[in-house]
Amino acid sequence: MSGTITGIAGPTVTVDLKGLRMYEIVLVGKAGLTGEVVRLERERAVLQVYEDTRGLAVGEPVRGTARPLTAQLGPGLLGGMFDGLQRPLEKLLERDGPFISGGSSASVLDSPRQWHFIPVKGPGDRVTAGETIGQAEEGAFRHLVSAPRDGVLASLAAGSYSVCQAVGSYDDGSPISVCQEWPVRSPRPCRRRLPPTEPLVTGQRVVDFLYPLARGGTAIIPGGFGTGKTILEQSVAKFSDVDLVVYVGCGERGNEMAELLEEFAGLNDPWTSRRLMERTIVVANTSNMPVAAREASIYTAVTMAEYFRDMGYHVLLLADSISRWAEALREISSSLEEMPGEEGYPTYLASRMAGFMERAGVVETMNGTVGSLSMILSVSPPGGDFTEPVTQACLRTAGAFLMLDASLAHRRHFPAVNWFQSFSLYEQTMVQHFSRIVDAGWTEARRRCRTLLQREEALREVAEIVGLEGMQEQDHLILHSAERIRLEFLCQNAYSEDAFSSPEQIMAMMNRILADHERLEGRLAAGDTLEAALGKGGDEHASQ
Amino acid sequence: MRLSEHTYRTVSSIRGPLIFLNRVREVRFGEVVRIIHPEGGSLEGEVIKIDGDTVLVQVMGETRGLDTGSAVIFSDAVKRAPLSVEVIGRIFSGSFAPLDNEPPYIPERWGAISGAPINPVARARPQDFIETGFSTIDALNTLVRGQKLPIFSCAGLPAKEMAAGILRNARLAGGGQFVVVFVALGLTHHEYSYYMDVLAGMQGGFAAFINRAGEPVIERLLAPRFGLAVAEYLAFCHAMDVLVLITDMTNYCDALREVSTAREELPGRRGYPGYLYSDLSSLYERAGRIRGLAGSVTMLPVVTMPEDDITHPIPDLTGYITEGQIVLSRELHQQGIFPPVDVLPSLSRLMQQGIGEGQTRSDHRQLANRLYRHYSRGRDLRRLEAIVGRDGLSGKDRQMLDFADVFERELVHQGNVRRTVAESLDTGLALMQRFALEG
C-alpha cells in the first residue's frame, strides 16, 4: 500500500492512501516519520505524525504498516530510557549524536544482547495465553516469559537467545520468542480485578500517615509551579515499596530527566539495596519533543507497566505531568479542527483520562498470580487554579488527591501537601492495615495529630483577632505542638537522610511528639506556664 | 524533490500577515518563500499550512502594498541561520540582517533555526555555580551553568538594570567570562540604547538580535530562534559558555497571539493559543549542557507580568518550563531597595547542585535555609502585626519582624555594588548573629 501526502498542518498530515485502518501506523515521507491514522474518509486519511513535520513536502510517499502503535515487551527494558514511542534514547544518542532528528527508528528488539532462558513447560504441553512458559535471567530480576496465545507447544528449549530468536514453537509451527508486542492503546488482559487492600508505602510521612495510598490505586498531585510536584514524584519513585517503577517525564524539563538519571544511577532501593535504576524504566518525552509523541508516551509507559504487572509484580507508574498530556491532546484535537469543549480541551478529555486511569488496579493475572499497577500522576493547573478541566477530570477517577499548596511552598514547607484539602479514598482500609501490621496505636495517633492541626488552624484565626498575648496557656501549647508536627513531621527534606521514613519510624516520630504534648499538658494542669514547662532548650527547638 | 526555485503568481487572497496561494505543487511544510513587492524589494514568508494545492504563507513583515498579482518564489528549503564565530561582536535585526553597517559574514555552516531537541540522555546535569554579584541570587536562588532562570518583573520595575547587572557581573567558577547573545523583542529605543551601552562594555563579547517596538511583530518570533541557533552553535561547536538574555518574552507571546488569531486558530486562556506551552518550551528547553562537550547555554529571559499577575498565562507557563524564577516586587522597589527581589516566591530549582563544598561554601545550604525560614516567619508576622499591632506580639515575634526589615535593607538591598558569594554569605551570617539566631 502506498500513496502520497496531500496536505500538512503542523503535526496533522493528510494522505490519499486507501485501505488504512483507524490507529494504524503509517510511515510518512522520505524520512519515514511515524504517524498514526486518526480519521478516515473514503478518499483520504488524516494522520497524526509523531515527529517534527518541518521540511516534509506534499507529494512525498507514505506507506501503511498494517499494525497499530505497539510496545515491544521483553527482557532488556529495565534500566532503560525511552522516548514516547519506545525508541531507546541511549541508542539514538550513539547513532545520531546529542540532538534528536526526525525519522530515526531504533527499537529495543534489534539488541544483540543474549538472555539465558529456562523453560518451565515442555513440548506437548497445552498452554493458555499469558501462562508462564519459562523465565529469562535479567540480572537479579526474574523475568517471566508467557505464552502469547493458547495452543500446544511443539518445542521449547533452554539456552541463550537474543530477543528476536525463537525459544520454541507451537504445534502449528509458529515461533515463540522471549519478546512480544502489544498495541499500547489496548489494556492487557487479566483474569479478574481485585480490590486494593495493601498500602503503597511511599516513605513520605505526610502521605503514608495522613493520606495513605494503595497498591493498585491511583493518586493525583496537583500543584502550581514551584510547589514541588517533581521532587515529590521523584522521592516516591526512589523510596516506594514496589518491585518496579515506570517513570514518565511527559512534556517536562530535559534537565530534570538528566538529574533523575544521574541520581537513580547512584542510589540504592531502600527495600532491596539493589541499584534503583535496575528497577526503573524511564519514558522521557520532554516539552520540546514532538507533541503527538507526548500524547502516546503515557500509553507506551502503561503498557510496559502492565507487562510487568502480568508477571505478578507490584508496579508503580509515575507521570509528570498529566496536564502536558492533556495539552497535547488539545493541540492535536485543535489541529484536527474538532469542536472544542471547556477551555479548548476536547470533550473526550475526561473519558480518555478515565480510560487511562482504569488501567491501574490489582489483578489476578492470566498466570494466576496477583500483580498490581498503581498510578501517581502530577497535574499542573494553570495559575494554580484547581477548578480547571484537567484537575477536575482527574478528580472524578483518582483515589487520592494530594493537593500541593503554593503558600506552604513559599515558606519552604516541603512536601507542600495541604493537610486540610487533600484526601485519600483508601484511608480506612489502609489505616486498618497499618494498625494491624505496624502499631495498634496508628489510628489513635492519626486522630490526635489531625485534631492538633485543626485546633491550630482555628486558634490562628482567633490569634489574628485577639493577638497571641491574649490567649491561654493551653492554646499556646496546642500551637507549640502543632508547629512541631508541621516542622518536624510533615516537612521532609528530600535532599537529606530524612528523605525516607519507614512506617515504624513514622509511628515512633509521631509518638514522640504526642508524648511530649501529653507531658506538657500535665505540667500546665499542675499550674506551670508553658514557658517554664518547656525550659529554654525546648523553646529554641520549637522555633525551628 | 524540485531542484530549482519555483515562482507562482497565484495569490488568491491576502489577510493580515497571511497569503493564500492556489495551484502550488510539491511545496514543503515550513518552506521559506520570497514575495516580490510590486514597488520593488521583497519580503520573506514561511509555509504554515498545505491543503492539496492550496498553500498558506505567513509573511515576515508588513503586507502593506502587496497585491494578488505579486510573485511568490518558493525556495525548497526551510528557514536556516548562517552560523560562524564571526557572529561575535555583530548586531543584527530580528531577521538576521546586519544593523551595524558591516557586510554579512561567510557562514561556516547553516543550521535549522528551530534546532532539534537535545536527547534527554545526552544532557549533562547543570551544576556549576555562576556568580552574578547579587546576594538574592547567589546566596538564596543560585544560578548554575546551563540553567534557564527568568526574571519576572512588573511594568515600571528595574528589570533592565538587574539584567544589565547580571550581564556585567556574571562570572563562572574559576573566573571565566560569558559570551552573551542578546535578543531584544519589541524594545523601545530608550531601552535599546541602554542595553547597547551595557553590551559595549562587555569583555567576553556578544551578538545581538534587535527587534524594536516599531519593527515587524513577526520578527519577534524569529529573533529568539536565530539567537538560540547561534548560541547552540557557539556553545556546542566552539565550546563557549553562552548567556542568552531575551527581553521581553511578553512581547514574544503577544506576537504569537497576534499571528495565531490571524490564522483563525482556537484561542486558549486570555486569547493566547493552546500551544503556547509547547511553543515556549521550544525556546526555553534549548538551554543546557551536553555530556562530553565543554560549552553551555544559560538562559535569562525577562518576563513582564501583565497586571503584576503571576498567574497570567505568560509567567505561569514560563514558570512551568524554566528551572525557577526571580520575582521582582513593587513594594520593595518603592522602598528604594535594589534589586527589588522578593525571595519568597523566587526559586532556583537547580540550586542544590551548585552550592556547598567545592562550589561555594560548606555552610551555604544551611545558611540559606535558615535565612529563608526566619525571613518568611517575619513576613507572616507582618500580616498579624497589621491586625493586632506590634504590641500584641511577643518579644520573640517582634524580633522576627525586625529581622525581616533588616534582611530587606541589608541583604536584599545592595545598590550597584557587586558582592562576591562569600560577601553575600557573610552578610547573611552577620544578620543571623546580630539577631542571635542559631537556626
Side-chain angles (χ1 to χ4, degrees):
Chain A
M1 278 195 299
S2 69
T4 55
I5 298 173
T6 58
I8 309 167
T12 310
V13 169
T14 318
V15 298
D16 61 2
L17 196 57
K18 280 181 217 165
L20 290 173
R21 291 186 184 168
M22 279 300 273
Y23 293 104
E24 176 174 341
I25 291 296
V26 179
L27 298 177
V28 182
K30 293 193 181 101
L33 308 181
T34 311
E36 190 177 18
V37 180
V38 289
R39 186 180 289 170
L40 275 178
E41 285 162 28
R42 187 181 285 271
E43 296 297 324
R44 56 177 209 148
V46 180
L47 313 177
Q48 156 187 323
V49 176
Y50 289 125
E51 293 169 77
D52 190 7
T53 51
R54 198 176 294 268
L56 208 59
V58 165
E60 283 193 34
V62 287
R63 194 163 50 83
T65 61
R67 57 183 190 86
L69 183 64
T70 56
Q72 286 160 344
L73 306 168
L77 293 174
L78 288 180
M81 182 145 181
F82 306 91
D83 77 349
L85 303 179
Q86 214 202 12
R87 290 182 297 201
L89 290 168
E90 285 285 356
K91 208 170 275 177
L92 290 185
L93 172 65
E94 272 169 38
R95 211 187 50 195
D96 305 340
F99 294 94
I100 295 178
S101 50
S104 22
S105 63
S107 73
V108 214
L109 270 183
D110 52 27
S111 162
R113 193 165 160 189
Q114 299 273 315
W115 303 98
H116 190 66
F117 175 75
I118 306 157
V120 294
K121 297 277 177 189
D125 286 347
R126 174 168 290 283
V127 293
T128 53
E131 194 176 343
T132 304
I133 54 168
Q135 170 182 336
E137 285 173 3
E138 187 170 11
F141 192 81
R142 280 174 63 244
H143 192 113
L144 303 182
V145 178
S146 60
R149 61 180 174 81
D150 295 354
V152 177
L153 297 176
S155 66
L156 198 65
S160 283
Y161 301 93
S162 76
V163 277
C164 40
Q165 277 175 316
V167 295
S169 63
Y170 284 109
D171 56 1
D172 61 1
S174 60
I176 303 171
S177 76
V178 292
C179 169
Q180 47 178 293
E181 290 197 21
W182 190 265
V184 299
R185 293 185 198 276
S186 329
R188 284 173 62 87
C190 60
R191 276 197 200 155
R192 64 195 173 100
R193 299 181 60 118
L194 306 167
T197 48
E198 278 180 49
L200 173 75
V201 176
T202 63
Q204 308 301 303
R205 290 189 289 268
V206 59
V207 179
D208 292 346
F209 191 67
L210 290 181
Y211 305 104
L213 308 181
R215 279 180 173 172
T218 53
I220 59 167
I221 310 180
F225 66 79
T227 50
K229 291 184 296 295
T230 304
I231 306 269
L232 183 56
E233 288 247 319
Q234 292 190 0
S235 296
V236 172
K238 282 178 206 163
F239 303 121
S240 282
D241 181 16
V242 289
D243 299 311
L244 216 108
V245 172
V246 179
Y247 190 98
V248 200
C250 179
E252 289 284 311
R253 304 175 182 90
N255 281 337
E256 266 168 13
M257 301 313 300
E259 192 176 321
L260 180 132
L261 283 185
E262 198 183 300
E263 267 189 21
F264 278 36
L267 281 175
N268 285 340
D269 177 352
W271 304 92
T272 62
S273 327
R274 291 213 304 265
R275 285 281 162 199
L276 259 186
M277 214 49 213
E278 284 176 28
R279 70 162 207 185
T280 311
I281 299 173
V282 178
V283 175
N285 215 86
T286 55
S287 56
N288 57 339
M289 285 158 81
V291 211
R294 191 197 301 169
E295 192 271 330
S297 65
I298 61 164
Y299 294 105
T300 304
V302 76
T303 306
M304 288 194 276
E306 282 176 343
Y307 173 67
F308 287 100
R309 173 204 69 185
D310 291 347
M311 293 178 203
Y313 289 115
H314 297 290
V315 186
L316 171 63
L317 180 129
L318 293 147
D320 185 19
S321 123
I322 205 73
S323 296
R324 305 299 165 222
W325 168 81
E327 281 166 13
L329 202 65
R330 173 168 71 182
E331 243 170 84
I332 294 159
S333 160
S334 121
S335 72
L336 291 172
E337 296 177 352
E338 290 173 340
M339 189 76 92
E342 213 177 338
E343 291 201 19
Y345 287 104
T347 43
Y348 48 78
L349 171 70
S351 56
R352 287 267 175 100
M353 185 89 81
F356 172 71
M357 284 166 87
E358 267 299 282
R359 291 174 76 167
V362 183
V363 300
E364 186 185 321
T365 66
M366 299 302 278
N367 195 40
T369 50
V370 174
S372 74
L373 167 52
S374 322
M375 285 186 190
I376 301 180
L377 315 171
S378 73
V379 182
S380 321
D385 170 15
F386 297 120
T387 61
E388 56 94 35
V390 181
T391 315
Q392 291 305 314
C394 284
L395 269 178
R396 285 197 231 161
T397 24
F401 172 70
L402 303 174
M403 190 192 114
L404 299 188
D405 191 328
S407 68
L408 288 177
H410 287 174
R411 266 187 264 152
R412 297 299 193 265
H413 175 116
F414 289 113
V417 176
N418 181 300
W419 49 87
F420 292 118
Q421 292 179 48
S422 303
F423 66 78
S424 164
L425 300 178
Y426 312 111
E427 194 172 319
Q428 261 195 329
T429 334
M430 299 311 139
V431 166
Q432 280 168 11
H433 188 277
F434 281 123
S435 303
R436 213 169 47 239
I437 305 294
V438 182
D439 190 315
W442 188 278
T443 318
E444 176 59 12
R446 278 183 91 240
R447 195 193 56 75
R448 288 178 60 196
C449 164
R450 290 202 139 164
T451 313
L452 278 171
L453 291 169
Q454 277 158 5
R455 293 279 305 275
E456 183 199 30
E457 184 72 5
L459 286 173
R460 272 180 183 279
E461 282 167 21
V462 176
E464 296 214 342
I465 302 162
V466 302
L468 284 170
E469 302 290 78
M471 289 165 63
Q472 295 179 346
E473 287 296 297
Q474 299 287 352
D475 297 341
H476 280 289
L477 173 60
I478 288 167
L479 290 179
H480 168 80
S481 296
E483 185 168 74
R484 279 191 68 193
I485 291 179
R486 279 191 288 112
L487 300 180
E488 293 171 31
F489 185 81
L490 298 177
C491 278
Q492 201 168 350
N493 187 341
Y495 297 101
S496 70
E497 289 291 301
D498 190 36
F500 168 78
S501 283
S502 69
E504 289 75 17
Q505 287 167 328
I506 290 179
M507 197 60 216
M509 203 166 177
M510 184 41 72
N511 278 339
R512 215 160 42 235
I513 297 175
L514 292 175
D516 282 350
H517 180 75
E518 210 160 312
R519 185 177 52 80
L520 291 168
E521 255 181 343
R523 293 281 300 269
L524 294 193
D528 273 352
T529 62
L530 181 62
E531 212 150 318
L534 282 170
K536 197 174 175 295
D539 192 45
E540 262 180 22
H541 193 54
S543 75
Q544 293 180 19
Chain B
M1 172 87 73
R2 303 160 357 230
L3 291 170
S4 61
E5 293 185 336
H6 278 197
T7 306
Y8 289 91
R9 287 180 182 277
T10 52
V11 173
S12 64
S13 67
I14 304 176
R15 195 192 298 158
L18 303 178
I19 297 182
F20 289 83
L21 288 106
N22 289 333
R23 305 194 299 280
V24 182
R25 300 187 48 223
E26 291 188 353
V27 60
R28 279 181 198 285
F29 182 67
E31 182 167 344
V32 175
V33 302
R34 232 171 46 246
I35 303 131
I36 306 300
H37 204 284
E39 290 161 19
S42 67
L43 289 165
E44 246 186 33
E46 188 182 310
V47 174
I48 56 169
K49 191 174 178 177
I50 312 165
D51 187 7
D53 63 357
T54 306
V55 169
L56 178 56
V57 168
Q58 178 169 298
V59 182
M60 307 293 171
E62 280 290 338
T63 46
R64 192 179 306 133
L66 290 183
D67 59 24
T68 51
S70 300
V72 179
I73 304 169
F74 285 74
S75 67
D76 196 29
V78 296
K79 189 82 181 157
R80 283 171 191 280
L83 302 172
S84 161
V85 278
E86 304 272 317
V87 75
I88 296 174
R90 302 290 307 269
I91 303 168
F92 300 93
S93 75
S95 43
F96 224 133
L99 289 181
D100 48 8
N101 301 319
E102 300 274 330
Y105 53 80
I106 299 161
E108 285 161 38
R109 60 189 251 200
W110 292 80
I113 68 161
S114 49
I118 302 179
N119 186 329
V121 298
R123 279 185 188 269
R125 187 176 183 175
Q127 55 190 8
D128 310 312
F129 173 70
I130 295 174
E131 191 177 79
T132 63
F134 288 116
S135 299
T136 41
I137 298 182
D138 295 348
L140 298 167
N141 295 287
T142 314
L143 175 68
V144 297
R145 201 159 65 97
Q147 185 174 8
K148 38 196 182 293
L149 188 66
I151 298 174
F152 284 3
S153 178
C154 307
L157 296 192
K160 72 171 187 297
E161 285 78 4
M162 185 162 182
I166 296 174
L167 286 188
R168 262 195 298 257
N169 296 327
R171 299 274 186 285
L172 288 160
Q177 290 271 359
F178 282 104
V179 174
V180 172
V181 170
F182 175 61
V183 180
L185 307 170
L187 230 56
T188 60
H189 186 78
H190 173 70
E191 288 172 308
Y192 165 71
S193 41
Y194 176 85
Y195 276 117
M196 290 324 281
D197 280 349
V198 176
L199 287 174
M202 296 271 316
Q203 290 166 14
F206 70 90
F209 295 86
I210 309 292
N211 168 276
R212 273 172 288 183
E215 286 164 345
V217 168
I218 194 90
E219 275 188 357
R220 288 171 204 166
L221 302 183
L222 286 178
R225 294 189 161 81
F226 280 127
L228 286 163
V230 163
E232 276 176 352
Y233 174 75
L234 295 177
F236 303 127
C237 297
H238 289 276
M240 297 179 183
D241 289 300
V242 186
L243 184 65
V244 182
L245 175 68
I246 307 181
T247 179
D248 182 319
M249 283 305 291
T250 306
N251 290 334
Y252 173 85
C253 296
D254 284 353
L256 195 70
R257 173 166 68 176
E258 207 174 313
V259 170
S260 164
T261 314
R263 290 168 67 168
E264 297 183 345
E265 286 169 339
L266 207 63
R269 272 201 303 157
R270 301 253 184 149
Y272 293 97
Y275 51 79
L276 182 61
Y277 176 83
S278 299
D279 190 276
L280 283 175
S281 59
S282 76
L283 300 179
Y284 294 142
E285 276 291 320
R286 293 173 82 173
R289 287 172 59 220
I290 291 178
R291 277 197 279 153
L293 297 179
S296 65
V297 176
T298 307
M299 210 186 294
L300 213 59
V302 176
V303 175
T304 301
M305 300 184 282
E307 301 154 36
D308 299 8
D309 178 10
I310 198 166
T311 67
H312 183 280
I314 301 173
D316 188 47
L317 294 180
T318 298
Y320 272 123
I321 304 165
T322 55
E323 283 124 3
Q325 63 277 339
I326 300 294
V327 183
L328 304 190
S329 142
R330 197 175 287 285
E331 203 183 321
L332 291 178
H333 178 59
Q334 279 160 354
Q335 291 167 29
I337 287 168
F338 179 83
V341 176
D342 186 351
V343 297
L344 294 188
S346 298
L347 172 74
S348 166
R349 291 168 190 271
L350 303 179
M351 172 169 178
Q352 296 299 332
Q353 291 305 310
I355 61 174
E357 199 70 58
Q359 296 270 13
T360 54
R361 244 169 47 181
S362 55
D363 62 340
H364 192 158
R365 185 164 300 132
Q366 199 183 21
L367 179 62
N369 286 342
R370 288 172 175 180
L371 285 169
Y372 252 113
R373 196 161 52 224
H374 294 306
Y375 177 58
S376 136
R377 174 111 181 104
R379 283 272 297 263
D380 275 352
L381 287 166
R382 275 190 196 162
R383 272 187 301 132
L384 199 58
E385 187 197 16
I387 301 163
V388 301
R390 195 176 163 88
D391 296 337
L393 297 173
S394 71
K396 197 163 153 33
D397 287 348
R398 282 199 293 269
Q399 195 195 12
M400 295 315 295
L401 276 176
D402 294 339
F403 175 82
D405 289 340
V406 177
F407 178 90
E408 287 169 0
R409 279 202 312 271
E410 295 181 15
L411 187 81
V412 178
H413 180 70
Q414 61 184 91
N416 285 319
V417 182
R418 180 181 199 281
R419 284 191 196 143
T420 64
V421 65
E423 286 165 349
S424 294
L425 292 176
D426 287 341
T427 311
L429 211 52
L431 276 186
M432 300 284 288
Q433 279 159 0
R434 187 164 357 142
F435 284 83
L437 294 168
E438 283 167 11

